[in-house]
Amino acid sequence: GQNIDQPTEMTATEGAIVQINCTYQTSGFNGLFWYQQHAGEAPTFLSYNVLDGLEEKGRFSSFLSRSKGYSYLLLKELQMKDSASYLCASEYSGAGSYQLTFGKGTKLSVIP
Amino acid sequence: GAVVSQHPSWVICKSGTSVKIECRSLDFQATTMFWYRQFPKQSLMLMATSNEGSKATYEQGVEKDKFLINHASLTLSTLTVTSAHPEDSSFYICSARDIDTEQYFGPGTRLTVT
């Protein structure tokens, strides 16, 4: 089975740092994606972790611990435009291809 | 970068009619395409996976006779919602990938059934 948990909502201040956590239980796990989704739009790719450790990409970083089934997305120097939903998705083998199971998303509100 | 398009971007139809949504990969070969559905304030739920030239694999709870998926070429997949009802109103998103790539998402199609 596939199960992903992440907080429903978070609020942070402009310029601050916020960490969004995600835990997963995934059969046939291959890797972990983070996506950003603004209301009414499709998700956009942020990061992909296959190996344990931290991947840094500008203001965004993502961490993975395969043994703990745990990941987090770290957003630095928050900007108002970062207000969006952040989706954690685990990639696993299925139906002849790699598939994604999405968490319910964390709605981040950045306030002045 | 890889681009996936969807058409139409939004559609309103009457209950009982059928609606077809197209998903195209514009600059790569999509050996596999995925169809997702997202209800308001919910996450993306995978409906089906289709490999080019093969029948789609539907997720549990998704009616294959209601949601017809065709993936006849390496750049095009279609989702037809047959005999649509108001409860089918949702945001439908496709994604596509080649053998060694990640999934690239289309912009989504908002379906409203009246």
Side-chain angles (χ1 to χ4, degrees):
Chain A
Q2 322 295 348
N3 188 46
I4 297 183
D5 289 311
Q6 53 181 129
T8 305
E9 294 185 51
M10 298 183 72
T11 301
T13 305
E14 190 176 14
I17 299 173
V18 70
Q19 178 175 312
I20 303 174
N21 296 322
C22 170
T23 57
Y24 63 90
Q25 296 95 40
T26 302
S27 301
F29 177 80
N30 187 63
L32 197 291
F33 284 86
W34 283 96
Y35 290 89
Q36 180 190 63
Q37 186 179 29
H38 286 99
E41 298 180 9
T44 56
F45 170 81
L46 291 178
S47 68
Y48 177 51
N49 293 67
V50 175
L51 302 177
D52 285 356
L54 188 68
E55 295 276 346
E56 297 186 74
K57 190 184 295 184
R59 293 191 299 116
F60 294 3
S61 302
S62 57
F63 172 85
L64 176 67
S65 169
R66 296 175 72 105
S67 62
K68 295 181 179 179
Y70 167 69
S71 173
Y72 67 73
L73 178 69
L74 193 70
L75 294 79
K76 304 176 184 176
E77 301 170 16
L78 281 172
Q79 302 175 8
M80 300 299 290
K81 67 178 182 179
D82 296 330
S83 294
S85 284
Y86 290 86
L87 308 177
C88 171
S90 66
E91 182 183 51
Y92 63 97
S93 300
S97 177
Y98 285 116
Q99 296 180 303
L100 295 177
T101 292
F102 284 85
K104 292 185 177 180
T106 299
K107 184 178 179 182
L108 174 66
S109 298
V110 180
I111 57 176
Chain B
V3 178
V4 175
S5 69
Q6 275 184 248
H7 178 80
S9 56
W10 59 270
V11 58
I12 301 173
C13 72
K14 292 186 177 180
S15 185
T17 62
S18 295
V19 174
K20 180 184 283 188
I21 303 171
E22 292 187 350
C23 177
R24 293 180 185 273
S25 59
L26 299 184
D27 49 3
F28 68 101
Q29 292 185 334
T31 52
T32 305
M33 283 185 164
F34 305 85
W35 286 96
Y36 296 85
R37 180 168 52 181
Q38 186 176 32
F39 292 107
K41 299 186 179 180
Q42 300 292 315
S43 190
L44 280 75
M45 297 299 295
L46 179 65
M47 298 176 68
T49 302
S50 72
N51 294 301
E52 186 265 338
S54 302
K55 289 184 178 180
T57 301
Y58 289 80
E59 295 298 298
Q60 192 172 10
V62 179
E63 300 174 58
K64 61 181 179 182
D65 294 330
K66 180 173 180 62
F67 298 99
L68 304 179
I69 292 172
N70 183 283
H71 188 176
S73 78
L74 282 171
T75 59
L76 173 65
S77 176
T78 60
L79 168 68
T80 302
V81 183
T82 62
S83 186
H85 291 286
E87 57 265 31
D88 298 323
S89 298
S90 188
F91 192 44
Y92 291 85
I93 305 173
C94 74
S95 69
R97 65 176 297 166
D98 201 352
I99 296 174
D100 295 322
T101 71
E102 64 184 80
Q103 288 187 34
Y104 300 100
F105 286 85
T109 297
R110 184 159 301 283
L111 169 64
T112 301
V113 184
T114 61

